Amino acid sequence: MNNFNDAYNNDKQYKESLINSVISPDKHEAYEQAVSYTIDDLVGVLEAYKHGSITDEKEAQEQIRVFLEEYTVKLINIIKGK
């Protein structure tokens, strides 16, 4: 289990370092907001699937893909300063 924890911590540190090197402090709030909206969107898809509003796994995957694309565009715009 220690190897897993070490790998997890190393991965987390790498991600945080990369994000901090790309997202400047003045853009950090926009980044946090984009993450929050994306989490809300993904949880919404999971809830819809759980409660039967989305009944097909492919439909759920498509919704998740759409949200991830939107998140990617938001991140690119944040990085570009738009």
Side-chain angles (χ1 to χ4, degrees):
M1 192 66 159
N2 197 24
N3 286 338
F4 173 80
N5 289 337
D6 290 344
Y8 173 80
N9 288 332
N10 289 340
D11 185 55
K12 183 177 179 184
Q13 288 174 352
Y14 169 75
K15 290 175 191 172
E16 288 173 354
S17 174
L18 181 61
I19 289 167
N20 290 331
S21 73
V22 175
I23 305 295
S24 61
D26 62 313
K27 297 176 185 173
H28 193 73
E29 185 177 338
Y31 167 76
E32 290 294 329
Q33 200 171 49
V35 170
S36 179
Y37 289 153
T38 302
I39 290 170
D40 289 345
D41 289 342
L42 292 173
V43 169
V45 171
L46 295 172
E47 288 293 322
Y49 189 70
K50 178 180 172 182
H51 295 292
S53 299
I54 296 176
T55 57
D56 185 305
E57 186 176 323
K58 288 188 185 265
E59 184 181 357
Q61 289 174 354
E62 177 62 17
Q63 285 296 313
I64 291 169
R65 185 189 65 74
V66 167
F67 291 136
L68 290 176
E69 284 178 347
E70 289 176 6
Y71 177 65
T72 301
V73 170
K74 286 177 188 175
L75 287 180
I76 291 169
N77 284 332
I78 290 168
I79 292 166
K80 292 175 109 180
K82 293 185 178 181

